[in-house]
Amino acid sequence: KAMERKSKTLGERIREARERKGWTREKLAVEVGCSVFSVMRWERDKSEPLPAFRRRLQEVLGVNFDT
């Protein structure tokens, strides 16, 4: 039996917060000031946002990703 993962990845948390706002990846990219490609990579856990983008994500999405 596979062990269930308890905590969500940063990418999952970003995607869920974006979807709660009803935003597209394009809208989030505009709000954060990054490319849509970056948002896609973050949401798929292919990369992590740089600290400045991480702070901006928290501001525009109203979520603290550090907890």
Side-chain angles (χ1 to χ4, degrees):
K1 184 175 169 181
M3 210 169 89
E4 202 174 314
R5 192 166 41 97
K6 290 196 183 348
S7 60
K8 294 182 178 164
T9 67
L10 177 60
E12 289 169 335
R13 294 168 70 196
I14 292 170
R15 189 190 75 244
E16 288 176 0
R18 174 181 61 78
E19 290 174 346
R20 272 196 304 275
K21 289 185 90 70
W23 287 2
T24 62
R25 286 186 181 110
E26 290 80 3
K27 166 76 171 163
L28 181 57
V30 168
E31 294 293 326
V32 172
C34 68
S35 68
V36 176
F37 184 69
S38 291
V39 173
M40 289 171 57
R41 288 184 57 81
W42 299 337
E43 290 188 355
R44 294 177 181 158
D45 292 299
K46 300 292 184 195
S47 67
E48 286 204 4
L50 295 172
F53 287 132
R54 192 178 180 114
R55 283 191 298 278
R56 187 69 185 133
L57 283 165
Q58 292 180 149
E59 289 171 10
V60 300
L61 295 174
V63 175
N64 183 354
F65 294 119
D66 297 325
T67 56

